[in-house]
């Protein structure tokens, strides 16, 4: 009995030693894989050797897939760049010839000339929007996120939309509670906020007011854009940030349904988020939340 017991103990010790050896080698393999220097060290018929061989096959397949994704991303980037570049000249020529037609056409043809101008502008805007969407979705755009006052963002965005607002006789009122530091990319975040303001002005009645407010939270700064339009029905709020989505009440107004989609895509890359709700008293309210720059001592 004693001899049998000793044999069992030795067998258990041997099994534990083998298991510990495999665990130790697994830990070493994972560490080497993370650091990109994994190599097989056992070339026999043992269980550990088979494990190393399968691990090498997995890593090789993963590297091949990563290279394929990288190649596809490069091809898409080149295609998007080519489309953006190749369409600039034709659209510019259409705009030029439209101006010439406007100068020489008789009065009865002017409505048709004006439609050519409007449609060429829509086409140009759509191509630019699709290009931006593709670049954002494929991580082809690198944001330069730095701490800076939020007033720079709001003032520049309001300034860019002022001409459109004046033409429609819509007033823009800004209420900045305090000029806190926010982490964001000035160029792309101005584009995002500009899309919110563009929507607000576009869907506001003449003579109304669009209000831009800021609210300071513990971790975020909220930029709220409120209009006095028809508002967004509750059943459509979950869809307004989808690509090309346009609500029933927006059908009578020019647009392509990419403004809010682009805005949210940009804000998400800055670790922020967006919400939409009704405005008290009528209209809609779209809120953009950007991370505050919190100094740590």
């Amino acid at each position: 009995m004693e001899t049998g017991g000793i044999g069992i103990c030795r067998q258990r010790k041997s099994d534990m030693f083998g298991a510990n050896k495999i665990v130790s080698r697994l830990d070493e393999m994972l560490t080497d894989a993370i650091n990109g220097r994994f190599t097989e060290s056992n070339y026999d018929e043992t269980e550990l050797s088979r494990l190393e061989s399968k691990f090498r096959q997995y890593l090789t397949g993963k590297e091949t897939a990563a290279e394929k994704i990288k190649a596809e991303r490069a091809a898409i980037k080149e295609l998007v760049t080519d489309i953006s570049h190749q369409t600039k000249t034709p659209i510019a020529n259409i705009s030029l010839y439209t101006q010439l037609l406007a100068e020489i056409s008789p009065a009865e043809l002017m409505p048709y000339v004006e439609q050519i101008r409007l449609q060429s502008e829509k086409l140009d805007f759509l191509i630019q929007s699709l290009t931006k969407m593709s670049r954002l979705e494929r991580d082809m755009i690198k944001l330069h996120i730095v701490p800076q006052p939020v007033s720079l963002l709001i003032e520049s965005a309001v300034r860019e939309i002022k001409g459109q607002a004046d033409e429609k006789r819509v007033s823009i009122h800004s209420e900045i509670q305090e000029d806190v530091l926010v982490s964001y990319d000035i160029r792309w975040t101005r584009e995002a906020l500009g899309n919110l303001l563009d929507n607000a002005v576009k869907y506001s009645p003449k003579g109304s007011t669009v209000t831009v407010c800021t609210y300071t939270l513990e971790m975020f700064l909220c930029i709220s854009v409120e209009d006095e339009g028809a508002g967004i029905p509750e059943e459509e709020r979950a869809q307004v940030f989808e690509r090309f989505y346009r609500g029933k009440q927006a059908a009578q107004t020019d647009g392509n349904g990419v403004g809010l989609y682009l805005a949210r895509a940009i804000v998400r890359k800055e670790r922020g988020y967006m919400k939409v709700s009704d405005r008290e008293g009528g209209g809609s309210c779209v809120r953009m939340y950007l991370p505050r720059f919190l100094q740590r001592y």
Side-chain angles (χ1 to χ4, degrees):
M1 291 293 295
E2 292 181 359
T3 303
I6 293 173
I8 293 173
C9 288
R10 286 178 176 174
Q11 182 62 42
R12 287 177 177 175
K13 287 182 179 179
S14 177
D15 292 343
M16 289 178 62
F17 176 77
N20 288 337
K21 183 179 180 181
I22 291 176
V23 171
S24 177
R25 178 56 183 151
L26 277 173
D27 182 69
E28 183 181 346
M29 288 162 57
L30 290 172
T31 301
D32 289 344
I34 291 171
N35 295 323
R37 58 169 186 264
F38 171 76
T39 56
E40 292 183 60
S41 60
N42 293 280
Y43 299 95
D44 48 35
E45 294 299 320
T46 63
E47 186 177 353
L48 187 58
S49 176
R50 291 194 296 272
L51 183 62
E52 286 189 1
S53 179
K54 289 183 179 179
F55 195 61
R56 163 46 61 192
Q57 292 176 21
Y58 166 74
L59 290 178
T60 301
K62 186 177 180 182
E63 290 171 359
T64 302
E67 290 175 359
K68 184 179 179 181
I69 292 173
K70 185 178 180 180
E72 289 177 352
R73 182 172 294 177
I76 292 173
K77 181 178 181 180
E78 184 177 356
L79 176 62
V80 170
T81 302
D82 286 345
I83 291 174
S84 177
H85 177 73
Q86 294 297 333
T87 54
K88 282 182 179 179
T89 300
I91 291 176
N93 287 338
I94 291 173
S95 178
L96 175 61
Y97 290 128
T98 302
Q99 292 178 20
L100 294 175
L101 280 173
E103 294 176 1
I104 64 175
S105 296
E108 60 269 20
L109 293 181
M110 288 306 297
Y112 303 103
V113 175
E114 180 63 13
Q115 280 301 311
I116 294 174
R117 183 187 68 81
L118 291 174
Q119 295 304 319
S120 65
E121 288 180 355
K122 287 183 181 179
L123 178 62
D124 185 34
F125 180 79
L126 180 59
I127 291 174
Q128 289 184 30
S129 297
L130 291 173
T131 301
K132 292 171 186 175
M133 285 167 49
S134 179
R135 287 174 173 168
L136 283 167
E137 291 170 352
R138 296 288 175 174
D139 290 326
M140 293 160 55
I141 292 174
K142 300 301 180 183
L143 301 183
H144 301 286
I145 301 173
V146 295
Q148 48 196 319
V150 72
S151 60
L152 296 174
L153 170 65
I154 295 176
E155 289 171 1
S156 58
V158 169
R159 187 164 52 246
E160 288 185 2
I161 201 69
K162 192 175 185 306
Q164 181 180 334
D166 290 345
E167 185 177 348
K168 197 174 179 181
R169 289 188 285 121
V170 172
S171 302
I172 299 182
H173 178 62
S174 299
E175 297 179 5
I176 303 176
Q177 288 185 330
E178 54 180 303
D179 201 6
V180 298
L181 289 179
V182 181
S183 298
Y184 66 94
D185 177 291
I186 182 64
R187 175 190 171 189
W188 286 100
T189 314
R190 181 171 59 227
E191 168 115 8
L193 182 56
N195 286 346
L196 304 191
L197 290 170
D198 177 75
N199 274 0
V201 171
K202 187 184 298 180
Y203 298 112
S204 290
K206 291 182 179 180
S208 61
T209 300
V210 170
T211 305
V212 185
C213 303
T214 61
Y215 305 93
T216 305
L217 306 177
E218 183 177 358
M219 301 296 294
F220 293 89
L221 178 111
C222 172
I223 302 175
S224 172
V225 178
E226 302 179 357
D227 64 55
E228 299 175 0
I232 301 172
E234 187 173 354
E235 63 272 16
E236 294 183 2
R237 291 175 196 167
Q239 301 171 283
V240 294
F241 293 110
E242 293 180 4
R243 190 187 327 183
F244 301 122
Y245 179 80
R246 302 199 71 212
K248 296 178 182 178
Q249 299 188 45
Q252 304 302 319
T253 306
D254 287 339
N256 51 32
V258 299
L260 288 179
Y261 174 84
L262 276 174
R264 188 173 69 165
I266 293 167
V267 171
R268 278 182 168 178
K269 285 187 174 293
E270 297 175 317
R271 299 181 182 275
Y273 62 99
M274 292 179 61
K275 289 184 177 181
V276 62
S277 64
D278 277 340
R279 174 182 176 273
E280 186 177 351
S284 62
C285 175
V286 183
R287 294 183 176 92
M288 174 190 297
Y289 295 84
L290 297 173
R292 290 181 56 191
F293 176 68
L294 302 175
Q295 295 180 340
R296 292 177 172 83
Y297 299 96

